[in-house]
Amino acid sequence: MLLRTNYHTHTARCHHARGTDREYIECAIEAGLRLLGFADHMPWPGDPPAIQSSRMPMAELEDYFTALTDLKKEYASQIEIHIGMETENFDLLDEQLKNLEDYPCEYLLLGHHYTGYHEGNHYFGRPFDAPELLENYVSHVLDAIDSGRFLYVAHPDLPKFLGDRALLIAAYHRICAAAKKAELPLEVNTLGLRDGRNYPSEAFFRIAAEYGCTLCVGVDAHSPRQLKDEESVNGAYRFAHSFGLPVVEEFDLSQNKLR
Protein backbone atom coordinates (compact mmCIF):
# COMPACT_ATOMS: atom_id res chain seq x y z
CA MET A 1 0.00 0.00 0.00
CA LEU A 2 1.19 3.51 -0.85
CA LEU A 3 0.08 5.09 2.43
CA ARG A 4 2.87 5.75 4.93
CA THR A 5 1.48 8.71 6.87
CA ASN A 6 -2.00 9.96 7.70
CA TYR A 7 -2.90 13.11 9.62
CA HIS A 8 -6.69 12.78 9.26
CA THR A 9 -7.91 10.15 11.71
CA HIS A 10 -11.06 10.41 13.83
CA THR A 11 -12.13 8.64 17.01
CA ALA A 12 -15.44 7.33 18.33
CA ARG A 13 -15.77 10.50 20.41
CA CYS A 14 -17.21 12.34 17.39
CA HIS A 15 -20.27 10.02 17.44
CA HIS A 16 -20.06 9.14 13.74
CA ALA A 17 -16.83 7.11 13.85
CA ARG A 18 -16.28 3.73 15.48
CA GLY A 19 -13.43 1.72 16.96
CA THR A 20 -11.08 2.30 19.86
CA ASP A 21 -8.05 4.56 19.75
CA ARG A 22 -5.84 1.51 20.11
CA GLU A 23 -7.50 -0.22 17.17
CA TYR A 24 -6.73 2.74 14.91
CA ILE A 25 -3.08 2.60 15.93
CA GLU A 26 -2.76 -1.14 15.52
CA CYS A 27 -4.44 -1.06 12.10
CA ALA A 28 -2.05 1.72 11.05
CA ILE A 29 0.91 -0.43 12.12
CA GLU A 30 -0.48 -3.43 10.26
CA ALA A 31 -0.90 -1.26 7.15
CA GLY A 32 2.75 -0.23 7.30
CA LEU A 33 2.27 3.39 8.33
CA ARG A 34 5.19 5.07 10.06
CA LEU A 35 3.14 8.08 11.24
CA LEU A 36 -0.46 8.45 12.37
CA GLY A 37 -2.06 11.77 13.20
CA PHE A 38 -5.37 11.99 15.04
CA ALA A 39 -7.53 15.00 14.15
CA ASP A 40 -10.97 14.50 15.61
CA HIS A 41 -13.62 17.20 15.29
CA MET A 42 -13.04 20.03 17.73
CA PRO A 43 -15.88 20.48 20.24
CA TRP A 44 -17.83 23.70 20.09
CA PRO A 45 -18.49 25.69 23.28
CA GLY A 46 -22.06 25.21 24.45
CA ASP A 47 -22.58 22.03 22.42
CA PRO A 48 -25.32 23.36 20.08
CA PRO A 49 -27.99 20.66 19.57
CA ALA A 50 -27.56 20.66 15.80
CA ILE A 51 -24.00 19.39 15.96
CA GLN A 52 -23.98 17.11 19.00
CA SER A 53 -23.94 14.08 16.69
CA SER A 54 -20.90 15.26 14.72
CA ARG A 55 -18.26 16.07 17.34
CA MET A 56 -17.23 15.30 20.88
CA PRO A 57 -18.71 17.35 23.72
CA MET A 58 -16.33 19.71 25.47
CA ALA A 59 -16.30 17.36 28.47
CA GLU A 60 -14.43 14.72 26.44
CA LEU A 61 -11.61 16.99 25.32
CA GLU A 62 -9.33 16.10 28.22
CA ASP A 63 -9.80 12.37 27.68
CA TYR A 64 -9.01 12.80 23.98
CA PHE A 65 -5.57 14.24 24.69
CA THR A 66 -4.81 12.16 27.78
CA ALA A 67 -5.69 8.82 26.19
CA LEU A 68 -3.86 9.55 22.94
CA THR A 69 -0.79 10.90 24.75
CA ASP A 70 -0.59 7.67 26.76
CA LEU A 71 -0.87 5.59 23.59
CA LYS A 72 1.68 7.79 21.85
CA LYS A 73 4.19 6.83 24.54
CA GLU A 74 3.18 3.17 24.56
CA TYR A 75 3.61 2.73 20.80
CA ALA A 76 6.60 5.03 20.36
CA SER A 77 8.88 2.22 19.22
CA GLN A 78 6.40 1.08 16.54
CA ILE A 79 4.83 4.20 15.07
CA GLU A 80 5.03 7.99 15.37
CA ILE A 81 1.78 9.44 16.70
CA HIS A 82 0.67 13.07 16.62
CA ILE A 83 -2.42 14.71 18.08
CA GLY A 84 -4.33 17.48 16.37
CA MET A 85 -7.90 18.53 15.68
CA GLU A 86 -10.11 19.23 12.69
CA THR A 87 -12.14 22.40 12.92
CA GLU A 88 -14.13 25.01 11.09
CA ASN A 89 -12.91 28.59 11.05
CA PHE A 90 -15.79 30.45 12.65
CA ASP A 91 -15.30 33.56 14.77
CA LEU A 92 -15.37 31.35 17.85
CA LEU A 93 -12.11 29.67 16.85
CA ASP A 94 -10.19 31.97 19.22
CA GLU A 95 -12.41 30.74 22.04
CA GLN A 96 -11.84 27.15 20.97
CA LEU A 97 -8.08 27.66 20.94
CA LYS A 98 -8.20 28.99 24.49
CA ASN A 99 -9.70 25.65 25.47
CA LEU A 100 -6.67 23.95 23.91
CA GLU A 101 -4.02 25.96 25.77
CA ASP A 102 -3.60 23.30 28.44
CA TYR A 103 -3.44 20.41 25.96
CA PRO A 104 -0.69 19.13 23.64
CA CYS A 105 -2.47 19.97 20.38
CA GLU A 106 0.12 19.80 17.61
CA TYR A 107 -1.85 20.91 14.57
CA LEU A 108 -5.20 21.94 13.12
CA LEU A 109 -6.82 20.71 9.93
CA LEU A 110 -9.33 23.00 8.28
CA GLY A 111 -12.51 21.05 7.70
CA HIS A 112 -15.31 23.53 6.97
CA HIS A 113 -18.56 21.56 7.13
CA TYR A 114 -21.31 23.94 8.22
CA THR A 115 -22.61 27.39 7.37
CA GLY A 116 -22.59 28.51 10.96
CA TYR A 117 -22.58 27.84 14.66
CA HIS A 118 -26.32 27.56 15.19
CA GLU A 119 -29.18 25.07 14.97
CA GLY A 120 -30.16 26.02 11.43
CA ASN A 121 -26.78 25.38 9.88
CA HIS A 122 -26.40 23.64 6.54
CA TYR A 123 -23.94 20.80 5.99
CA PHE A 124 -22.07 21.52 2.76
CA GLY A 125 -21.93 17.84 1.82
CA ARG A 126 -25.69 17.90 1.28
CA PRO A 127 -27.01 19.23 -2.07
CA PHE A 128 -27.74 22.94 -2.24
CA ASP A 129 -28.11 25.58 -4.94
CA ALA A 130 -28.10 28.87 -3.05
CA PRO A 131 -25.16 31.08 -4.13
CA GLU A 132 -25.00 32.70 -0.70
CA LEU A 133 -24.24 29.32 0.90
CA LEU A 134 -21.42 28.72 -1.55
CA GLU A 135 -20.05 32.17 -0.75
CA ASN A 136 -20.28 31.32 2.95
CA TYR A 137 -18.07 28.30 2.36
CA VAL A 138 -15.52 30.12 0.23
CA SER A 139 -15.21 33.14 2.51
CA HIS A 140 -14.61 30.99 5.59
CA VAL A 141 -12.03 28.86 3.79
CA LEU A 142 -10.19 31.92 2.48
CA ASP A 143 -10.09 33.48 5.95
CA ALA A 144 -8.73 30.21 7.34
CA ILE A 145 -6.02 29.99 4.71
CA ASP A 146 -5.00 33.58 5.46
CA SER A 147 -4.86 32.89 9.21
CA GLY A 148 -1.80 30.65 8.90
CA ARG A 149 -3.11 28.37 11.63
CA PHE A 150 -3.84 25.29 9.58
CA LEU A 151 -1.72 22.39 8.41
CA TYR A 152 -3.79 21.85 5.29
CA VAL A 153 -7.31 22.18 3.86
CA ALA A 154 -9.26 18.95 4.31
CA HIS A 155 -11.72 18.07 1.54
CA PRO A 156 -11.52 21.58 -0.01
CA ASP A 157 -14.03 20.46 -2.67
CA LEU A 158 -16.69 19.35 -0.15
CA PRO A 159 -19.63 21.57 -1.25
CA LYS A 160 -22.25 19.67 -3.25
CA PHE A 161 -23.37 22.78 -5.08
CA LEU A 162 -26.02 22.16 -7.73
CA GLY A 163 -26.50 25.75 -8.79
CA ASP A 164 -24.79 27.75 -11.54
CA ARG A 165 -21.70 25.77 -12.58
CA ALA A 166 -19.82 28.96 -13.35
CA LEU A 167 -20.15 30.05 -9.72
CA LEU A 168 -18.71 26.75 -8.53
CA ILE A 169 -15.75 26.98 -10.92
CA ALA A 170 -15.11 30.54 -9.77
CA ALA A 171 -15.17 29.33 -6.16
CA TYR A 172 -12.63 26.63 -7.00
CA HIS A 173 -10.34 29.24 -8.55
CA ARG A 174 -10.52 31.47 -5.48
CA ILE A 175 -9.66 28.62 -3.11
CA CYS A 176 -6.82 27.28 -5.24
CA ALA A 177 -5.33 30.72 -5.80
CA ALA A 178 -5.34 31.41 -2.06
CA ALA A 179 -3.88 28.00 -1.22
CA LYS A 180 -1.08 28.51 -3.71
CA LYS A 181 -0.29 31.98 -2.38
CA ALA A 182 -0.10 30.61 1.18
CA GLU A 183 1.64 27.40 0.05
CA LEU A 184 -1.00 25.48 1.99
CA PRO A 185 -1.65 21.91 0.77
CA LEU A 186 -5.06 20.76 -0.45
CA GLU A 187 -6.29 17.32 0.56
CA VAL A 188 -7.37 14.52 -1.73
CA ASN A 189 -9.88 12.91 0.61
CA THR A 190 -9.96 9.13 0.60
CA LEU A 191 -13.33 8.92 2.37
CA GLY A 192 -14.99 10.78 -0.47
CA LEU A 193 -13.42 8.48 -3.02
CA ARG A 194 -14.27 5.36 -1.03
CA ASP A 195 -17.92 6.32 -0.52
CA GLY A 196 -18.50 7.68 -4.04
CA ARG A 197 -19.16 11.24 -2.92
CA ASN A 198 -18.90 14.37 -5.03
CA TYR A 199 -15.31 14.79 -3.84
CA PRO A 200 -12.49 14.51 -4.67
CA SER A 201 -13.52 16.54 -7.69
CA GLU A 202 -11.55 16.28 -10.92
CA ALA A 203 -12.70 19.78 -11.86
CA PHE A 204 -11.35 21.18 -8.60
CA PHE A 205 -7.97 19.52 -8.88
CA ARG A 206 -7.56 20.43 -12.56
CA ILE A 207 -7.85 24.03 -11.39
CA ALA A 208 -5.41 23.32 -8.56
CA ALA A 209 -3.00 22.12 -11.24
CA GLU A 210 -3.37 25.42 -13.11
CA TYR A 211 -2.12 27.23 -10.01
CA GLY A 212 0.59 24.69 -9.17
CA CYS A 213 -0.85 23.85 -5.76
CA THR A 214 0.57 21.26 -3.40
CA LEU A 215 -1.56 18.25 -2.49
CA CYS A 216 -1.73 15.66 0.27
CA VAL A 217 -3.79 12.54 0.81
CA GLY A 218 -5.99 12.16 3.90
CA VAL A 219 -7.76 8.94 4.77
CA ASP A 220 -10.34 10.77 6.91
CA ALA A 221 -10.60 7.49 8.79
CA HIS A 222 -13.84 6.88 10.68
CA SER A 223 -13.10 3.23 11.37
CA PRO A 224 -9.75 1.51 11.97
CA ARG A 225 -9.98 -0.78 8.94
CA GLN A 226 -10.16 2.22 6.61
CA LEU A 227 -6.46 2.74 7.28
CA LYS A 228 -5.91 -0.65 5.65
CA ASP A 229 -8.24 -0.10 2.69
CA GLU A 230 -5.64 -0.55 -0.03
CA GLU A 231 -8.03 -0.01 -2.93
CA SER A 232 -9.29 3.41 -1.87
CA VAL A 233 -5.97 4.62 -0.47
CA ASN A 234 -3.98 3.66 -3.56
CA GLY A 235 -6.77 5.09 -5.70
CA ALA A 236 -6.46 8.42 -3.89
CA TYR A 237 -2.71 8.50 -4.46
CA ARG A 238 -3.15 7.69 -8.16
CA PHE A 239 -5.74 10.45 -8.36
CA ALA A 240 -3.43 12.94 -6.64
CA HIS A 241 -0.40 12.10 -8.78
CA SER A 242 -2.43 12.27 -12.00
CA PHE A 243 -2.40 16.07 -11.86
CA GLY A 244 1.40 16.31 -11.87
CA LEU A 245 1.48 18.21 -8.58
CA PRO A 246 3.73 17.63 -5.56
CA VAL A 247 2.12 15.42 -2.93
CA VAL A 248 3.28 16.02 0.65
CA GLU A 249 3.47 12.96 2.90
CA GLU A 250 5.04 14.39 6.05
CA PHE A 251 4.65 17.80 7.67
CA ASP A 252 6.97 19.72 9.97
CA LEU A 253 5.03 20.13 13.20
CA SER A 254 7.86 21.81 15.08
CA GLN A 255 6.42 25.25 14.39
CA ASN A 256 3.07 25.20 16.16
CA LYS A 257 0.99 27.98 14.62
CA LEU A 258 -2.16 27.56 16.68
CA ARG A 259 -1.71 30.65 18.82
Side-chain angles (χ1 to χ4, degrees):
M1 187 164 67
L2 297 173
L3 187 70
R4 291 292 175 268
T5 67
N6 180 55
Y7 292 81
H8 197 166
T9 310
H10 292 278
T11 77
R13 296 173 186 82
C14 72
H15 306 299
H16 60 282
R18 59 187 182 275
T20 66
D21 301 341
R22 186 180 298 276
E23 287 172 333
Y24 281 98
I25 295 169
E26 292 185 348
C27 278
I29 294 170
E30 291 172 14
L33 272 70
R34 55 184 172 79
L35 184 153
L36 182 66
F38 285 90
D40 213 347
H41 296 283
M42 186 183 290
W44 287 354
D47 299 324
I51 49 78
Q52 285 179 345
S53 65
S54 65
R55 62 196 64 235
M56 72 179 81
M58 193 66 69
E60 293 186 4
L61 190 63
E62 182 169 355
D63 175 72
Y64 174 72
F65 283 104
T66 300
L68 291 178
T69 297
D70 288 345
L71 288 168
K72 179 176 182 174
K73 295 174 183 176
E74 180 180 342
Y75 284 90
S77 64
Q78 299 177 68
I79 190 170
E80 184 177 338
I81 296 174
H82 295 285
I83 312 170
M85 304 214 79
E86 179 183 7
T87 181
E88 285 75 12
N89 189 46
F90 297 134
D91 291 340
L92 56 75
L93 180 58
D94 286 337
E95 182 179 350
Q96 290 174 300
L97 292 179
K98 289 179 182 178
N99 290 312
L100 293 180
E101 288 179 352
D102 296 328
Y103 300 109
C105 185
E106 297 175 85
Y107 65 95
L108 296 178
L109 300 185
L110 174 68
H112 195 67
H113 303 85
Y114 297 97
T115 52
Y117 176 73
H118 52 76
E119 292 188 29
N121 58 43
H122 174 82
Y123 170 60
F124 288 110
R126 296 199 306 267
F128 67 99
D129 57 13
E132 61 269 23
L133 296 188
L134 181 62
E135 178 58 32
N136 175 292
Y137 180 84
V138 174
S139 62
H140 278 102
V141 169
L142 295 185
D143 285 346
I145 291 173
D146 287 343
S147 75
R149 285 170 162 165
F150 294 90
L151 192 66
Y152 69 68
V153 185
H155 40 64
D157 44 352
L158 172 69
K160 195 170 185 178
F161 181 67
L162 304 181
D164 186 344
R165 179 73 172 176
L167 293 178
L168 182 62
I169 296 301
Y172 287 169
H173 275 280
R174 292 168 65 191
I175 292 171
C176 291
K180 175 59 180 176
K181 182 178 179 181
E183 294 298 334
L184 193 68
L186 301 167
E187 179 195 68
V188 173
N189 187 276
T190 299
L191 182 151
L193 187 67
R194 182 177 60 248
D195 290 355
R197 302 186 181 189
N198 58 290
Y199 61 92
S201 161
E202 288 190 16
F204 178 90
F205 286 99
R206 283 198 299 268
I207 291 170
E210 292 180 24
Y211 288 91
C213 294
T214 299
L215 309 183
C216 62
V217 171
V219 176
D220 200 353
H222 285 74
S223 74
R225 63 176 179 80
Q226 291 169 356
L227 292 165
K228 300 194 294 181
D229 187 343
E230 188 169 352
E231 181 179 356
S232 64
V233 167
N234 288 354
Y237 271 95
R238 287 193 297 269
F239 180 91
H241 286 297
S242 70
F243 298 95
L245 296 171
V247 179
V248 177
E249 291 195 356
E250 187 165 354
F251 293 86
D252 180 4
L253 301 180
S254 62
Q255 300 296 320
N256 190 313
K257 300 179 180 180
L258 273 58
R259 308 295 182 249

